[in-house]
Amino acid sequence: MTTLTLRQARGRYLVLLGLRWFPVGLMIPVGTLLMLERGLTLPQVGLVVAAQGLVVLVLELPTGGLADAIGRKPVLVLASLLCLASVALLIFVDSVGLFLLVFVLQGIFRALDSGPLDSWYVDAVLAADPDADIERGLGGGGAVLGVAVGAGALLSGGLVALGPIGGFSALTVPVVVAFVFEVIALVALVVLLPEVRQARGVAALRDSLRGVPTAIGGAFGLLRRSRILLALVAVELFWGFGMVTFETLLPVRLSEVVGNPDDAAALLGPAGSVAWLASAAGAGLAPVIARRIGVAPTAALLRIVQGATVVGMGLLAGPVGVIAAYLACYLVHGASNPLHMGLLHRQVDGPYRTSVISLNSMVSQPAGALGGVVLTAVAGATSVTTAMLVGAVVLAVAAPLYLPAWRATRNAPVVVPEEPVPGGPVPASIPQARTGTEANPTDVRAIEPANPSRS
């Protein structure tokens, strides 16, 4: 294979990323409503959605070792095939067991898909030019992701508004179209993503899998050694739980207000598209606000404000009020992301940043699963509004967990010897956390806007 130029590597990365996320945008507005249309109750919806989060939790670190052992392209192709299978099933399934299978397959797909494309891009760019500006492509990737999901959501609303087509219900049509685009994405992946790698084989795979328990133990050891990191990851627990309100319950709430699931799905298409643009706008505004009052205080304030927007979704009457609160929620969501991630980055030395982000993402999965089970159960037993109010409180009470990071920025750095992992030295693959008294003052100019989605 001829080494790609910088332009070729960046272009292929952005095309593949857009094709990866466009089908997701198609299915976001109809996912929950489709399950309800086919006879599931809200608690059952929460159960099957939780399965995806739990599968990602279990497989996120092992699949990283798999990509290292057999290569990025084979893992991405396997992920795409599993995604195709799950979407194909989603077109026809009508029972709890089969929906559970769909979300288990989606969980395996997401675990396999998390990271290899970005890693391929970085390697391809550095192979073409060791001094290349990789951040340009990664930043562009975030923009492409938002546009792709927003465009997919907009098209989804239009497809639902057209009504049933052939033997497919209005809510099923976007899923059929998503399947077509998943096929296109798989073909593009095979054609556009070249990879040169050493034949590392079964022995390398076995060694990678053997190292997984050590990596997991070391990652959780970070929480014990850094009170700031512990607090930040705890924020992710509350955040993951509370996100169920605007990712799963909002379509049901809008359906209640509008009076018809198809009409609600049609409204959610354009609303979802605008929500992603609002999220991107929030990411751009966050550093401006943080320069005035500080990153950690701004992040804490945004947790409270996001809780208030969820209260608005639960209590406001009429579709205009609910959608306005929904858009405000995504504006705050986008603003919160770069601030939270920036604080996380400052708790670990440069070579180990990815491990910290993986830890943060891994923790959010069981929190989202628990939120899906608990909040849908509350909605089924009482009302969707009550469940949203519970979720709003959970989002808001995470605000004080930013206090350790805020206090650390006011103290002079004091180097504290790091504690070794019990049973031996910390492996090179395990990140070294800074202690709570060692954090550097935050420079908001260094914070890059993160992806508006955390899923």
Side-chain angles (χ1 to χ4, degrees):
M1 182 199 72
T2 304
T3 301
L4 298 177
T5 65
L6 291 176
R7 183 182 295 273
Q8 288 173 327
R10 186 179 297 120
R12 295 186 185 200
Y13 168 67
L14 296 179
V15 168
L16 292 172
L17 196 64
L19 289 173
R20 155 71 177 90
W21 286 98
F22 183 75
V24 175
L26 280 165
M27 293 188 290
I28 284 176
V30 300
T32 301
L33 297 176
L34 182 63
M35 288 185 277
L36 294 175
E37 179 185 68
R38 295 186 184 173
L40 271 65
T41 64
L42 264 178
Q44 289 172 333
V45 170
L47 176 65
V48 299
V49 172
Q52 176 180 292
L54 294 177
V55 169
V56 175
L57 169 68
V58 172
L59 295 182
E60 182 159 356
L61 292 179
T63 51
L66 183 64
D68 287 339
I70 68 174
R72 281 73 177 266
K73 185 172 184 176
V75 168
L76 287 170
V77 170
L78 176 59
S80 292
L81 290 172
L82 288 170
C83 185
L84 268 175
S86 69
V87 176
L89 280 173
L90 187 58
I91 295 173
F92 302 105
V93 298
D94 58 0
S95 68
V96 175
L98 289 176
F99 272 113
L100 187 63
L101 176 59
V102 167
F103 278 89
V104 167
L105 290 175
Q106 276 286 315
I108 300 172
F109 154 65
R110 288 180 180 273
L112 289 167
D113 183 73
S114 176
L117 183 58
D118 287 349
S119 298
W120 172 86
Y121 165 72
V122 171
D123 284 348
V125 166
L126 294 180
D129 179 4
D131 298 321
D133 179 11
I134 61 174
E135 289 78 13
R136 178 183 174 187
L138 293 174
V144 167
L145 186 154
V147 171
V149 175
L154 186 62
L155 177 59
S156 180
L159 291 171
V160 172
L162 290 176
I165 297 178
F168 300 113
S169 71
L171 294 177
T172 306
V173 173
V175 182
V176 176
V177 176
F179 177 83
V180 174
F181 276 96
E182 291 290 0
V183 174
I184 295 172
L186 175 58
V187 173
L189 177 65
V190 172
V191 173
L192 296 179
L193 197 147
E195 183 177 40
V196 174
R197 59 185 178 85
Q198 298 176 349
R200 302 170 71 178
V202 176
L205 174 59
R206 184 174 59 248
D207 291 342
S208 295
L209 295 179
R210 283 177 176 172
V212 168
T214 301
I216 295 174
F220 279 102
L222 289 174
L223 301 183
R224 181 172 51 82
R225 297 197 301 274
S226 171
R227 62 185 178 85
I228 295 179
L229 185 59
L230 177 62
L232 292 174
V233 171
V235 170
E236 193 71 20
L237 288 171
F238 288 90
W239 204 348
F241 186 100
M243 280 194 291
V244 174
T245 55
F246 52 91
E247 290 186 343
T248 301
L249 296 181
L250 183 277
V252 186
R253 169 64 179 155
L254 187 60
S255 179
E256 286 182 346
V257 172
V258 174
N260 183 283
D262 288 354
D263 291 342
L267 285 174
L268 275 175
S273 181
V274 176
W276 281 84
L277 296 177
S279 179
L285 290 172
V288 177
I289 301 172
R291 287 190 187 101
R292 294 183 177 273
I293 64 176
V295 173
T298 303
L301 178 62
L302 289 174
R303 296 271 52 77
I304 298 172
V305 175
Q306 189 169 37
T309 65
V310 172
V311 170
M313 283 188 281
L315 294 180
L316 291 176
V320 174
V322 173
I323 290 176
Y326 171 65
L327 297 180
C329 181
Y330 263 82
L331 177 71
V332 175
H333 192 63
S336 299
N337 231 10
L339 301 183
H340 183 81
M341 300 307 290
L343 291 168
L344 273 175
H345 278 302
R346 283 164 177 77
Q347 301 312 310
V348 64
D349 291 333
Y352 307 111
R353 297 185 190 278
T354 303
S355 296
V356 172
I357 303 308
S358 294
L359 174 64
N360 186 74
S361 175
M362 185 175 66
V363 167
S364 71
Q365 298 300 324
L370 179 62
V373 171
V374 172
L375 293 181
T376 54
V378 171
T382 57
S383 68
V384 174
T385 293
T386 301
M388 296 188 90
L389 294 179
V390 172
V393 171
V394 172
L395 284 168
V397 296
L401 292 169
Y402 285 110
L403 287 176
W406 175 65
R407 289 169 181 160
T409 62
R410 304 176 65 186
N411 298 329
V414 177
V415 178
V416 177
E418 294 181 346
E419 180 183 345
V421 174
V426 179
S429 62
I430 304 300
Q432 300 297 302
R434 292 173 181 168
T435 65
T437 57
E438 193 186 8
N440 292 332
T442 301
D443 181 359
V444 295
R445 294 171 298 178
I447 297 177
E448 297 291 337
N451 287 341
S453 174
R454 302 170 66 83
S455 58

